Amino acid sequence: MLVTAVPIPGHVMPLLPLAHAIAAAGGQVTVAVPASIAHLVGKLAVLPTGPDIDILLTENARRTGGADLGDISALAQLFTSTRIETTFDEALRHAHRIRPDLIVADEYDTIGPMLAAALAVPWIQHAIGLPVSPPALAPAMQDLLVPQYVRRGIARIERLALVDPWPQALQEPGHVLPPDRLTIRAQPYAAPMNAGQPLLPAPGSHPRVLVTLGTVLLDGELLDALVDAVAALDNVEVLALVPPGVTHPLTDPRGHVRFLGFTPMADLLAAGVSVIVAAGGAGTVLAALSHGIPMVLLPRGAEKPQNAERVVEAGAGIAITDPAQAGTAVRELIANPSYRAAAAQIGEQISRAPDAGQVWAALRERLRT
């Protein structure tokens, strides 16, 4: 089995529980990612494939005249033309060599489905964001994909299934779930990243607030602005996660503020976090709510506004438009137990979803028919 994903940690990590479950059941699993993020996959086999995301972004900017990724057409081109034309030929050579009998691809990944079509093997799509986020991206991607298949003489094939970690509580009202959908329990990333990294100490007498921008929004100034707003409260302890690739000192003169390098989300959530302040990425939202933790969300880019909207609608968080509002919002979440109760309800729904092993068993049944 071959796993393919957009070469961003937030797109690779959600696929790993299923990949590990397949390996645990005796399957041979290989993950195709650039060498720079191969450490994310733990003991799974790695097939170094394609350029890093920063190279893709530079190339995409050249092709689009420097258009911001807030422009749907530029984002669609990044996921389709830019990535296919820099990655597919190499990936196909590798795939002919290892001959996978199944491909699992993240929903924004265009390499995996094209490989599956070229090799005539089934493929499974793994959701990252909500089905409506952002609503114009899917058709824009489809328009750009058609000539890529035609140029290579490849006929597209339909996916075998959609594996989706989003609970019903966060789905948009009225959204019709596809008939091939299988729910999978959202699982925060837990693979160890740094040997010997000390465990986080238990929180003190004040609520512990985690501030994170995830693995995509690489903005140290925004992180500092959020931390400053939350740290101005006199009754909290602040953990701030520095995004990968951002240079930022880990020391801070304020006794109740601690900056951390990349740390698996499972370790952070196990450290007694009461509130999470974040940019609204899918991985962070699902990880927080799987532990019943309410959120303050400052959504920036891609699917984040839609994620924030659904969290707010569910009563599990507050959306803000300015980092200066973060402190007031954190105070409200701490003072009002209804937010934590709503987050806990969603967490309970997530916990009832089938785990990765159960999902793989269901997929095997589909493969047999």
Side-chain angles (χ1 to χ4, degrees):
M1 191 269 282
L2 180 66
V3 176
T4 62
V6 175
I8 301 171
H11 285 242
V12 175
M13 293 186 292
L15 279 63
L16 295 180
L18 180 59
H20 284 295
I22 295 173
Q28 293 184 335
V29 180
T30 302
V31 184
V33 291
S36 62
I37 57 173
H39 59 277
L40 294 173
V41 309
K43 295 182 179 180
L44 297 174
V46 174
L47 191 65
T49 307
D52 294 340
I53 188 61
D54 56 346
I55 296 174
L56 287 173
L57 290 172
T58 299
E59 173 62 15
N60 201 66
R62 184 189 68 78
R63 293 173 178 231
T64 61
D68 186 90
L69 291 182
D71 179 340
I72 289 295
S73 62
L75 184 60
Q77 179 146 323
L78 173 67
F79 290 147
T80 56
S81 306
T82 300
R83 184 143 183 266
I84 289 170
E85 291 168 15
T86 58
T87 305
F88 179 75
D89 290 344
E90 177 190 9
L92 184 59
R93 288 194 299 272
H94 289 322
H96 277 306
R97 178 169 56 83
I98 67 172
R99 304 198 63 80
D101 57 0
L102 175 68
I103 292 175
V104 177
D106 97 65
E107 67 175 304
Y108 298 107
D109 172 61
T110 51
I111 302 300
M114 188 174 280
L115 289 175
L119 299 172
V121 299
W123 69 283
I124 295 161
Q125 188 173 54
H126 196 299
I128 301 296
L130 285 162
V132 294
S133 56
L137 180 57
M141 288 179 61
Q142 294 308 316
D143 289 344
L144 293 171
L145 276 174
V146 171
Q148 295 290 340
Y149 277 82
V150 170
R151 189 176 307 142
R152 292 166 175 79
I154 300 173
R156 298 174 68 177
I157 61 175
E158 295 299 317
R159 69 192 184 199
L160 175 71
L162 171 68
V163 175
D164 186 0
W166 287 88
Q168 185 64 43
L170 293 178
Q171 301 286 345
E172 188 174 61
H175 174 69
V176 179
L177 299 175
D180 64 344
R181 177 181 184 268
L182 292 172
T183 306
I184 190 170
R185 186 183 307 159
Q187 184 174 324
Y189 180 67
M193 300 303 306
N194 300 304
Q197 178 176 302
L199 295 175
L200 293 168
S205 58
H206 296 312
R208 176 171 278 177
V209 179
L210 172 65
V211 181
T212 174
L213 300 179
T215 59
V216 177
L217 186 55
L218 311 182
D219 190 335
E221 291 184 0
L222 178 59
L223 178 69
D224 282 335
L226 289 168
V227 168
D228 290 346
V230 177
L233 301 174
D234 58 5
N235 61 341
V236 298
E237 176 189 346
V238 182
L239 295 179
L241 195 61
V242 178
V246 172
T247 301
H248 193 289
L250 299 183
T251 57
D252 191 277
R254 293 167 291 191
H256 65 306
V257 175
R258 179 175 180 177
F259 285 90
L260 302 168
F262 184 85
T263 306
M265 183 58 77
D267 291 345
L268 294 168
L269 297 178
V273 171
S274 297
V275 173
I276 294 180
V277 178
T284 304
V285 168
L286 287 171
L289 295 178
S290 71
H291 280 60
I293 300 173
M295 310 188 74
V296 174
L297 298 173
L298 177 66
R300 294 288 176 91
E303 85 289 358
K304 296 174 180 65
Q306 288 77 26
N307 294 344
E309 179 182 331
R310 301 309 311 139
V311 170
V312 171
E313 184 67 23
I318 296 172
I320 59 176
T321 57
D322 189 308
Q325 300 169 330
T328 300
V330 167
R331 182 186 293 115
E332 171 65 14
L333 292 189
I334 293 172
N336 188 338
S338 68
Y339 293 102
R340 178 166 291 278
Q345 287 183 344
I346 298 173
E348 175 62 24
Q349 191 173 108
I350 291 172
S351 72
R352 292 197 302 267
D355 64 24
Q358 293 169 311
V359 171
W360 175 231
L363 288 169
R364 281 186 295 182
E365 287 299 316
R366 293 193 185 188
L367 286 165
R368 293 189 185 104
T369 60

